[in-house]
Every structure is written in structure tokens, then in C-alpha cells.
């Protein structure tokens, strides 16, 4: 028969294990909220608040858009405080990319998380002719999250474009996305993109990003 | 009156919601990605009664039916190509949104429904790539198998599928795309006909409350299966 001390020890171990699992479930909810917050703020042009979503004190911060990779805090600021500033803030401009079909994995050690989303959306902006164009646009998002000063932040973030086309034209007739030559010089990325997933009738659909698997501790090899 | 549960039970239920949602979302990522082996592994292949029914295609039953529908050499590979050699121009994305998930009080099963707006591109009978908008509803019953959550029963219900550029309110024949379905080879035909007539939006159709939103429940009853 177990002693009182043994029972107390077992109870404490069980409680510790349960608290850890509760922490992981909370992390899943918090990280999903964080990516939703990112999108909500971004689509309303609230770019200073968008920056607060990112891990600015953790080495390795990076963001990849269709047109290139932004590395480190200063580059990510260039992307959001520069390039994204006009979203929803310039009359007639509107970009929305919703988050759906989330697969979220929180590390066994509770220190990082990985997730992916399908993102149906739309955008409206002025073309070179000054006229406004309505476009449908879908993408996929992937993010790695890390705890910074006890708070969850986006650490690596990668957008994979799928389709982007005027509302009156279908995606099989061609997709046009932002390319690096369309980005002002002082808002350009640090290096070219590492993926190209835009739909084309002659191309095969790529299995990217891959579904995150359960993991214990973060490995850079699985970074998005 | 609120249920009295231990802390362990509450944690198990929280985890169940997260794992079951993850499972249904993994399905939607893996299937368009032609990861057919992994899709089969999402299903409760050791549990009697495992089955899947997609729209008007019919019912696939048992682990052999699941392999026939989702596995290598099966229905979806016939439509999409293999992971090594997918068909060019083919694309499908059927997102999972608006989940309602109920975990049984005994935490051995769960039920979920989703609204699934999507789009895609496929090859029409004339060999042209055609863009389509499509929305469906998904329902699934989940069960624990060897301590892991799996999809036990799975059912997809139509809402609409239309060529790009067509308003779903103006379709002359909502079932035209259905009639142009490819004829399946015998080896991958379903095991029995569909249990629910395909519903497609039309100006004369009343919205079909199927599947119903799951309600809290104690223990699984086949009468409530999706």
C-alpha cells in the first residue's frame, strides 16, 4: 500500500503533467488568436500594432512573401511599416485574407508551435492607370511561433500565394501577383523568395506548406 | 446543471476538441496534396463501421473501402494523379470553417460539422481546364483507436458547384456538372449507393438542414451517425 508521501508525490506529478497539457492547449488557442489578430490588424492598416505580433528579441525573425524574404527586425519593419502601411488606410484600398483549415502543433516542451492555414481572400487597389481593380486572391500561411518574455509571438512567417486575379477573370486564365520590381527600393526584401506556388494550368499543385507533425523541441529543419 | 468532471477529464476533453479539429483540417491539406497513404491513416481502419460518403458518389465501407476511396491507386488518385506525378492544372481547395464539435461525455467519440467554401480547377470532358467555385458541408464522427483520435464516419454534402463566371442563382441546370462526372473503373466504384440525394442550390430548392448541428451527448449511438 502506498504511503501518504508516495501518494502526495504522485498527485503532484499528475497535477504538473495536467498543467503542462493545459498550457499547451492554451498555447494553441493563443497562437491561433495571434495569427487572426495579425490578419485583422494588417487588413486595417494598423501596422505598428502588427509589429507587436512578431518576436523582435529572438534571433532568426523572418517573413517571406511571394516577392522575397525579409530577415531581422529592421527588414520586417520595412515590410510592414513601409509596404503594408497603405492597406485599408488609402481610400479605396482593401485587402483581406481569412484564416481557415488550421493545423496547429504545439511542441511537447511548450516553447514553440507550428501552424498552417488556407486563406481565401480579396483585394482592391489602384493599378498603374489609377483605376481601382477588384481581385480575388487565395494564399496559404505557415508560421512558427516562439515564447518571448512569456508571451507568444510570430517567429517565422511564410505566405504561399495560390491565385490572384481580377474578379471577372478566372484563375485558369492567369494569375498576377506582386513581384519584387513592383516594390519600392526602400521596401525591397533581403533575398529572393524560396518558393513559387502560384497556380498555373501548366503546373502541378505543390504540397506546400507541409502539414506540421507533433514534435518535442523545435528543429530549424522544419521551419516554415 | 454543469457536469462534474475531474481535472483530468476536462483536460482530456479540451485536447479532444483540438485533436479532432486538427484531424479534419489535416485531411483537407493531405488530400489535395496527393498524400494518399497519410489520408488513409487518418481513418479508424481497425474499428468496425468505418465508412466515407462523398456527395453523390456513393458509400465506401470498411478499411478496404477507405483505401479504395483515398488510398494509392484509388478514387482520388484516379482523379488527381499521384504525389510524384499530379495532373497539371488540377487544383482543389475546400476550406474548413465554422466548426461545431461535440465531444461525448465519455470522451470516446466526437462529432463535428463544417461549412466548406472552396474553389478549384479541373479538366472538363473536352479536355479544357475549367475553374469552378464549390461549397460543401462536411460531417464526421470520430473515435479513439489505440488512444489516438481517428475519423470513423465521414460524409460530404453538396451545397453548390458552378463554373467560374456563373451565378449560382442563374443556373439553368444545377446538376449539369454532376452528369459529366467521370465513369469510374469497376475496381474503385463505391460499395453501395449514396444515402442522401445530392442537394444543389437552385431558385426552387429549400435549404437542406443536413447534417444537423451536433448536440452534447453522453455516449455514441448509431442513430446519430453522420
Amino acid at each position: 500500500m502506498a504511503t501518504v508521501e508516495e501518494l502526495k508525490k504522485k498527485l503532484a506529478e499528475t497535477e504538473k503533467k495536467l498543467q503542462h497539457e493545459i498550457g499547451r492547449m492554451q498555447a494553441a488557442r493563443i497562437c491561433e488568436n495571434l495569427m487572426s489578430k495579425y490578419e485583422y490588424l494588417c487588413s486595417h492598416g494598423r501596422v505598428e500594432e502588427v509589429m507587436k505580433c512578431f518576436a523582435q528579441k529572438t534571433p532568426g525573425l523572418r517573413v517571406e512573401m511571394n516577392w522575397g524574404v525579409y530577415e531581422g527586425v529592421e527588414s520586417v519593419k520595412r515590410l510592414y511599416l513601409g509596404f503594408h502601411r497603405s492597406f485599408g488606410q488609402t481610400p479605396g484600398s482593401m485587402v483581406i485574407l481569412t484564416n481557415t483549415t488550421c493545423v496547429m502543433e504545439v511542441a511537447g516542451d511548450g516553447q514553440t508551435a507550428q501552424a498552417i492555414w488556407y486563406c481565401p481572400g480579396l483585394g482592391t487597389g489602384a493599378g498603374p492607370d489609377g483605376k481601382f481593380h477588384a481581385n480575388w486572391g487565395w494564399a496559404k500561411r505557415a508560421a512558427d511561433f516562439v515564447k518571448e518574455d512569456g508571451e507568444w509571438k510570430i517567429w517565422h512567417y511564410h505566405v504561399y500565394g495560390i491565385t490572384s486575379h481580377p474578379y471577372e477573370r478566372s484563375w485558369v486564365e492567369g494569375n498576377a501577383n506582386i513581384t519584387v520590381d513592383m516594390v519600392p527600393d526602400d521596401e525591397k526584401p533581403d533575398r529572393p523568395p524560396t518558393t513559387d506556388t502560384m497556380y498555373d494550368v501548366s503546373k502541378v499543385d505543390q504540397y506546400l506548406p507541409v502539414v506540421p507533425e507533433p514534435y518535442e523541441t523545435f528543429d530549424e529543419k522544419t521551419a516554415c | 446543471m454543469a457536469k462534474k468532471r475531474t481535472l483530468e477529464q476536462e483536460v482530456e476533453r479540451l485536447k479532444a476538441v483540438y485533436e479532432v479539429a486538427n484531424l479534419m483540417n489535416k485531411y483537407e491539406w493531405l488530400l489535395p496534396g496527393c498524400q494518399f497513404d497519410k489520408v488513409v491513416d487518418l481513418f479508424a481502419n481497425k474499428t468496425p463501421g468505418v465508412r466515407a460518403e462523398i456527395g453523390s458518389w456513393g458509400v465506401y465501407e470498411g478499411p478496404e473501402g477507405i483505401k479504395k476511396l483515398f488510398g494509392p491507386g484509388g478514387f482520388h488518385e484516379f482523379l488527381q494523379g499521384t504525389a510524384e506525378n499530379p495532373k497539371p492544372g488540377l487544383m482543389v481547395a475546400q476550406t474548413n470553417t465554422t466548426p461545431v464539435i461535440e465531444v461525448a461525455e465519455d470522451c470516446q467519440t466526437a462529432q463535428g460539422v463544417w461549412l466548406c467554401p472552396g474553389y478549384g480547377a479541373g479538366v472538363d470532358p473536352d479536355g479544357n481546364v475549367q475553374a469552378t467555385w464549390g461549397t460543401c458541408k462536411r460531417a464526421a464522427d470520430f473515435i479513439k483507436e489505440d488512444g489516438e483520435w481517428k475519423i470513423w464516419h465521414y460524409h460530404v454534402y453538396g451545397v453548390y458547384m458552378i463554373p467560374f463566371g456563373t451565378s449560382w442563382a442563374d443556373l439553368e441546370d444545377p446538376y449539369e456538372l454532376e452528369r459529366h462526372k467521370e465513369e469510374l473503373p469497376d475496381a474503385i466504384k463505391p460499395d453501395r449507393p449514396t444515402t442522401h440525394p445530392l442537394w444543389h442550390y437552385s431558385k426552387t430548392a429549400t435549404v437542406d438542414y443536413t447534417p444537423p448541428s451536433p448536440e452534447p451527448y453522453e455516449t455514441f449511438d448509431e442513430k446519430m451517425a453522420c
Side-chain angles (χ1 to χ4, degrees), chain A:
Chain A
M1 178 131 120
T3 64
V4 168
E5 285 311 309
E6 283 166 346
L7 286 170
K8 276 186 181 174
K9 188 178 170 203
K10 190 166 160 57
L11 193 63
E13 281 167 4
T14 302
E15 193 179 331
K16 189 176 171 191
K17 189 176 156 205
L18 287 174
Q19 293 294 356
H20 182 71
E21 288 305 297
I22 289 170
R24 291 182 65 240
M25 296 304 107
Q26 285 174 331
R29 182 70 203 110
I30 290 168
C31 289
E32 192 160 2
N33 226 33
L34 183 58
M35 190 47 81
S36 293
K37 198 182 265 195
Y38 163 88
E39 170 52 35
Y40 202 75
L41 292 168
C42 214
S43 61
H44 288 85
R46 300 182 75 89
V47 291
E48 282 83 10
E49 290 163 83
V50 167
M51 280 307 302
K52 292 178 188 171
C53 297
F54 287 94
Q56 300 189 46
K57 300 178 189 174
T58 307
L61 170 68
R62 66 173 178 269
V63 175
E64 178 166 348
M65 296 281 161
N66 280 330
W67 58 92
V69 184
Y70 293 79
E71 294 188 290
V73 176
E74 291 313 306
S75 290
V76 173
K77 276 184 181 168
R78 213 166 62 236
L79 172 63
Y80 288 102
L81 303 183
F83 186 81
H84 279 78
R85 188 176 284 284
S86 66
F87 288 15
Q89 293 299 296
T90 308
S93 158
M94 179 176 70
V95 178
I96 297 173
L97 264 184
T98 63
N99 291 335
T100 79
T101 327
C102 173
V103 179
M104 169 83 64
E105 293 291 346
V106 177
D109 67 9
Q111 297 303 304
T112 62
Q114 296 189 303
I116 55 177
W117 288 264
Y118 262 112
C119 307
L122 54 88
T124 318
D129 55 2
K131 287 187 182 167
F132 279 92
H133 299 275
N135 297 288
W136 293 114
W138 282 50
K140 292 179 258 191
R141 288 184 161 127
D144 302 321
F145 301 87
V146 71
K147 257 186 153 169
E148 197 175 76
D149 298 335
E151 244 187 271
W152 285 100
K153 301 284 184 184
I154 302 169
W155 186 20
H156 313 129
Y157 174 50
H158 192 155
V159 177
Y160 300 78
I162 312 175
T163 54
S164 175
H165 52 95
Y167 83 97
E168 74 275 12
R169 224 177 62 199
S170 95
W171 45 95
V172 306
E173 296 170 77
N175 289 282
N177 213 320
I178 299 168
T179 53
V180 71
D181 47 302
M182 296 158 76
V183 179
D185 284 345
D186 58 349
E187 295 166 7
K188 279 187 168 23
D190 298 303
R191 53 185 170 94
T194 61
T195 55
D196 175 8
T197 50
M198 291 301 289
Y199 173 79
D200 185 277
V201 294
S202 64
K203 287 188 188 171
V204 298
D205 197 17
Q206 297 176 65
Y207 174 49
L208 281 174
V210 299
V211 167
E213 295 290 340
Y215 69 104
E216 186 56 33
T217 305
F218 187 78
D219 184 338
E220 182 63 31
K221 284 201 276 295
T222 65
C224 70

Side-chain angles (χ1 to χ4, degrees), chain B residues 157-209:
Chain B
Y157 300 84
V159 177
Y160 66 78
M161 186 190 288
I162 47 173
F164 178 89
T166 305
S167 158
W168 54 93
D170 294 333
L171 276 180
E172 289 296 325
D173 180 2
Y175 296 94
E176 185 183 350
L177 283 178
E178 267 298 298
R179 277 196 284 283
H180 288 149
K181 276 193 319 205
E182 289 187 67
E183 182 64 27
L184 296 177
D186 285 346
I188 55 173
K189 280 188 169 152
D191 298 303
R192 55 183 168 95
T194 187
T195 61
H196 191 82
L198 179 72
W199 189 89
H200 192 288
Y201 172 84
S202 77
K203 285 181 282 200
T204 57
T206 307
V207 170
D208 176 20
Y209 180 52

